[in-house]
Amino acid sequence: MNLKELATKLGLSPTTVSRALNGYPEVNEATRERVLAGARRHNYRPNARAIRLATGRALAVGHVIPLNTRTEIVNPVFSDFIAGAGEVYSRNGYDMILSIVADEAEETTYRDLMSRGTVDGVIVHAPKSNDPRIKVLRDLGLPFVVHGRSSDSELDYNWVDVNNRRAFQRATEFLLHLGHRRIALVNGLEHVDFAIRRRAGFTEALATLGLSPDPGLLSSDEMTETSGHRAAMRALDHPQPATAFLAASMLQGMGIRRAIEGRGLRMGRDVSVIIFDDDLSYLRNGEDVPIFTATRSSVRDAGRLSAEMLLDVIANPAAPPQHRLLEAELILGQSTGPAPSH
Amino acid sequence: MNLKELATKLGLSPTTVSRALNGYPEVNEATRERVLAGARRHNYRPNARAIRLATGRALAVGHVIPLNTRTEIVNPVFSDFIAGAGEVYSRNGYDMILSIVADEAEETTYRDLMSRGTVDGVIVHAPKSNDPRIKVLRDLGLPFVVHGRSSDSELDYNWVDVNNRRAFQRATEFLLHLGHRRIALVNGLEHVDFAIRRRAGFTEALATLGLSPDPGLLSSDEMTETSGHRAAMRALDHPQPATAFLAASMLQGMGIRRAIEGRGLRMGRDVSVIIFDDDLSYLRNGEDVPIFTATRSSVRDAGRLSAEMLLDVIANPAAPPQHRLLEAELILGQSTGPAPSH
DNA sequence: TGGGTGGGTCAAAGCGCTTTGGGTTGGGCT
DNA sequence: AGCCCAACCCAAAGCGCTTTGACCCACCCA
């Protein structure tokens, strides 16, 4: 059943039917009712392909998800981010198109999505500092929102981000207050922007006490359980072992816990741990009582906000860039305690 | 730059240019070269919207991902499944459209995707036993591949699945050989088909020794760390506590480990654990030495295979249903050992 | 020499919508 | 009575491709 058929069936022109369905004012309320009823009765649904061609809009947005070709790792936060964003899209009649693309091919992907007209806008994930994609997208004129920020980018652009620097600064201060002085930072890959900011917050907090980070207690890697474990083993093997850890993700935190307990130590008593908790739906930080003390910010909310911003940008392409900075909250869990007095 | 412009620029008709670009034989090799060169030079890319309308194909496939509205949980295996599938799609010029949809709205989503013509086929995730979606899709005539199977479905359909029954049967046998008799099953939600099969394998293995599962050691829940922890606490609190666990996922296994260690026990010595390992990229089972003894089957491979099958079905809609049953391998890790003799 | 034959090209008709630019009423106003 | 305007509705022209059917021009063979 297509528009034309429905129109003849109703004894109206396609024009009128189209207008009735799309809520244009110049059609009589009575006939609109008749059209709507007819459409329902015949189970009519407009063909999306035709709408897209006729309107010149894709009614779709793209998420280009980088795939680390070496490790083959897809960042686990994407599923929740996408769940949040997807909600917004479907509420607004947009499709979500996912391209999982090898790191190095991202630029081409954007070019392609744009020039073939498959999307009206994109979300940029995991920006690096001074990320080249920002310029590419700006030059292409493809609306985009960055999840995160790109330091040193001289251009202004739309972004949604968590205050990562502040979160790690506060977490570090909290550990310092507890008396910890040997704090290990188990960071994400530091070519990604948010990891840089987190490290900055960490360093800054140490600096207020005149401390500086011990390179032997710093690590930067994919945010997995095993990498957390590895980093923790190293920091515990240190001649002056860490008494506290600050980790970039829940999974790393779990790896750290495994290392601690593998040593016969007890997390929260012998060694303290704070994690950054993205509040993933399938990886909750405990039930009523949080397992880990954590700085928390829901990545699903970030997905929701990014999607809303993107749709807004698509609707008003000329508007000035928008920014949204989310604050992480510090959640007290069972993984922190006063530094052991030796 | 569109086809018509390119054609006039080359002094050819749109027809010829189109044919040259699409590799039709009736165009002179020399002019084809000329056209290709021209397209490259002017950076021409055909408009996907127009192609879709003209050909009547969507050149896109849909993944409808169920969202448990109560728990808001997105199954973490999706990201890897999708990574595998996405690879296949992009290699074949297909877009991947993701809809994250509340459990109850899935059927409408399929109807919509179909009648609006946004996709040429779909992947069905997490089938329940006798899943109604299968009939809906069959009746709609929308090509589909099920990831998993739906017991008791009287219809035949395309599927890719792991031999879940066999995997859990072997894992259980392995524990039995080690002398364990009090084995707790920490299963996924048992209205989802694969969980039913896993339980069947478990029960079957017990039965060969004349044993039957102790209801106090059975649990079925979302496959999260916390649910694993909860289930393990219960099984360890049992008057005759479990000496071994069989868990449906890595995350549950991690929760079990936390419970074991929280008790001051040692995994692999005091209590044994076997997990089902989906081989998620961001949740590897250790590095060189596996942490957990596990039955392993890569969900990314399953994604790849499902996508290939779906494209095949789209290309040959009349072909008989295809099936692909993957076997999980049993990996020996550090989490199992002989049953403690008391 | 003339009627095939086939390689190469093109005009035009879709695909199923939206949207522009009228047309046709009927009623109110002077 | 004549004019104008608002309210409705419609025909037709796109949107940028694909594809059908026809055409033209060698070239070959009888």
Side-chain angles (χ1 to χ4, degrees), chain A:
Chain A
M1 171 65 56
N2 61 22
L3 225 210
K4 209 161 94 186
E5 289 167 21
L6 180 61
T8 55
K9 207 155 280 212
L10 289 169
L12 288 169
S13 78
T15 311
T16 305
V17 175
S18 168
R19 294 207 146 127
L21 292 172
N22 292 315
Y24 282 69
E26 56 268 70
V27 34
N28 191 325
E29 259 329 298
T31 65
R32 185 195 306 284
E33 285 306 327
R34 208 157 63 77
V35 169
L36 287 175
R40 215 168 5 246
R41 185 155 32 89
H42 294 94
N43 221 318
Y44 168 75
R45 277 188 185 84
N47 182 305
R49 293 192 283 263
I51 294 181
R52 291 188 223 265
L53 180 58
T55 59
R57 311 195 307 150
L59 293 172
V61 311
H63 283 238
V64 178
I65 300 195
L67 178 68
N68 184 322
T69 31
R70 195 174 43 75
T71 60
E72 293 266 295
I73 287 183
V74 178
N75 188 330
V77 307
F78 285 131
S79 57
D80 260 58
F81 185 91
I82 279 170
E87 211 180 273
V88 175
Y89 299 140
S90 59
R91 205 167 45 227
N92 289 275
Y94 273 73
D95 284 337
M96 170 163 65
I97 294 187
L98 229 67
S99 329
I100 304 197
V101 167
D103 272 345
E104 58 278 10
E106 274 203 68
E107 207 176 303
T108 346
T109 306
Y110 289 130
R111 287 224 143 74
D112 239 61
L113 284 175
M114 172 68 177
S115 54
R116 318 185 74 98
T118 32
V119 302
D120 293 322
V122 296
I123 300 272
V124 174
H125 289 282
K128 329 236 179 313
S129 83
N130 204 356
D131 201 301
R133 292 175 287 174
I134 290 174
K135 189 168 168 8
V136 171
L137 287 168
R138 218 267 324 261
D139 293 350
L140 283 172
L142 184 62
F144 68 100
V145 168
V146 180
H147 176 214
R149 276 171 289 173
S150 176
S151 326
D152 311 323
S153 171
E154 71 284 8
L155 302 164
D156 197 6
Y157 52 90
N158 307 289
W159 52 257
V160 171
D161 198 6
V162 177
N163 196 338
N164 282 297
R165 196 191 47 67
R166 186 113 196 286
F168 267 43
Q169 187 182 1
R170 286 181 62 199
T172 308
E173 281 166 2
F174 183 76
L175 290 171
L176 290 170
H177 282 318
L178 285 170
H180 294 280
R181 292 297 178 270
R182 306 283 303 154
I183 305 176
L185 175 66
V186 182
N187 209 355
L189 288 171
E190 289 188 354
H191 61 96
V192 183
D193 201 79
F194 75 89
I196 301 174
R197 292 176 192 272
R198 288 178 180 182
R199 178 211 266 258
F202 172 71
T203 312
E204 216 166 297
L206 288 181
T208 58
L209 290 195
L211 302 171
S212 61
D214 178 342
L217 299 184
L218 294 179
S219 62
S220 157
D221 201 347
E222 289 283 357
M223 295 186 286
T224 64
E225 205 266 356
T226 45
S227 86
H229 183 260
R230 204 183 316 126
M233 293 300 268
R234 189 165 139 262
L236 293 172
D237 281 339
H238 196 279
Q240 294 178 279
T243 65
F245 287 86
L246 181 51
S249 77
M250 180 94 174
L251 282 173
Q252 285 174 314
M254 294 169 89
I256 294 169
R257 185 179 66 205
R258 179 159 62 96
I260 292 171
E261 282 166 353
R263 281 276 197 278
L265 300 171
R266 182 99 190 210
M267 178 172 84
R269 190 193 59 196
D270 307 312
V271 183
S272 290
V273 178
I274 298 187
I275 63 160
F276 191 99
D277 179 8
D278 293 292
D279 205 21
L280 302 181
S281 59
Y282 59 88
L283 204 57
R284 296 273 183 230
N285 185 11
E287 309 201 79
D288 17 78
V289 178
I291 303 169
F292 290 102
T293 298
T295 56
R296 182 171 67 194
S297 175
S298 157
V299 73
R300 187 182 294 220
D301 284 346
R304 229 173 257 132
L305 292 168
S306 303
E308 279 163 3
M309 189 180 285
L310 181 55
L311 293 185
D312 197 69
V313 172
I314 290 171
N316 314 66
Q322 301 181 42
H323 311 305
R324 181 68 181 270
L325 187 60
L326 305 168
E327 291 297 336
E329 45 182 349
L330 186 60
I331 307 275
L332 201 57
Q334 305 163 290
S335 65
T336 44
S341 51
H342 42 156

Side-chain angles (χ1 to χ4, degrees), chain B residues 29-323:
Chain B
E29 259 328 301
T31 66
R32 186 196 304 286
E33 284 305 329
R34 207 157 64 79
V35 169
L36 288 175
R40 217 171 1 248
R41 185 154 32 90
H42 295 94
N43 220 318
Y44 167 77
R45 275 188 187 82
N47 182 307
R49 294 193 283 265
I51 294 181
R52 291 188 224 264
L53 181 58
T55 59
R57 311 194 308 149
L59 293 172
V61 312
H63 283 237
V64 179
I65 300 194
L67 178 68
N68 184 321
T69 31
R70 194 174 44 74
T71 61
E72 294 265 294
I73 287 182
V74 178
N75 189 329
V77 307
F78 285 132
S79 56
D80 260 58
F81 185 90
I82 280 170
E87 209 180 276
V88 175
Y89 298 141
S90 59
R91 205 168 43 227
N92 289 275
Y94 273 72
D95 284 337
M96 170 162 67
I97 293 187
L98 228 68
S99 329
I100 303 198
V101 166
D103 272 345
E104 57 277 10
E106 274 202 67
E107 206 176 303
T108 347
T109 305
Y110 290 129
R111 287 223 143 73
D112 240 60
L113 284 175
M114 172 69 178
S115 53
R116 316 185 75 100
T118 33
V119 301
D120 293 322
V122 296
I123 300 274
V124 174
H125 289 282
K128 328 234 179 313
S129 83
N130 204 355
D131 200 301
R133 293 176 286 173
I134 290 173
K135 189 166 166 9
V136 171
L137 287 167
R138 218 266 325 257
D139 293 351
L140 283 172
L142 184 61
F144 67 101
V145 168
V146 180
H147 176 214
R149 275 170 289 173
S150 176
S151 326
D152 310 326
S153 172
E154 70 285 8
L155 302 164
D156 196 6
Y157 52 90
N158 307 289
W159 52 258
V160 172
D161 198 7
V162 177
N163 196 339
N164 282 297
R165 195 191 48 67
R166 187 114 196 286
F168 266 42
Q169 187 182 0
R170 285 181 63 200
T172 309
E173 281 166 3
F174 182 76
L175 290 171
L176 291 170
H177 283 316
L178 286 170
H180 295 279
R181 291 298 177 269
R182 305 284 302 154
I183 305 176
L185 176 66
V186 182
N187 208 354
L189 288 170
E190 290 188 354
H191 60 96
V192 183
D193 201 78
F194 75 90
I196 301 174
R197 292 176 192 271
R198 288 179 180 183
R199 179 211 266 260
F202 172 72
T203 312
E204 216 166 296
L206 289 180
T208 58
L209 290 195
L211 301 172
S212 61
D214 178 340
L217 300 184
L218 293 179
S219 62
S220 157
D221 201 348
E222 290 282 359
M223 296 186 286
T224 63
E225 204 267 356
T226 46
S227 87
H229 182 260
R230 205 183 314 127
M233 293 301 268
R234 187 164 140 262
L236 293 172
D237 280 339
H238 196 281
Q240 294 178 278
T243 66
F245 287 87
L246 182 50
S249 76
M250 180 95 175
L251 282 173
Q252 285 174 313
M254 293 169 89
I256 294 169
R257 185 178 66 206
R258 179 159 63 95
I260 293 170
E261 282 167 352
R263 280 276 196 278
L265 300 171
R266 182 99 192 212
M267 179 172 84
R269 191 192 58 195
D270 307 312
V271 183
S272 289
V273 178
I274 299 187
I275 63 161
F276 191 99
D277 178 9
D278 293 293
D279 204 20
L280 302 181
S281 59
Y282 59 88
L283 204 59
R284 296 274 183 230
N285 185 12
E287 309 200 80
D288 16 78
V289 179
I291 303 169
F292 290 102
T293 297
T295 56
R296 182 171 68 192
S297 174
S298 157
V299 74
R300 187 182 292 221
D301 284 345
R304 228 172 259 132
L305 292 169
S306 303
E308 279 164 3
M309 189 181 285
L310 182 55
L311 294 185
D312 197 68
V313 173
I314 290 171
N316 314 67
Q322 302 181 41
H323 311 307

Side-chain angles (χ1 to χ4, degrees), chain B residues 3 18-19 22 24 44:
Chain B
L3 225 209
S18 168
R19 295 207 146 127
N22 292 315
Y24 281 70
Y44 167 77

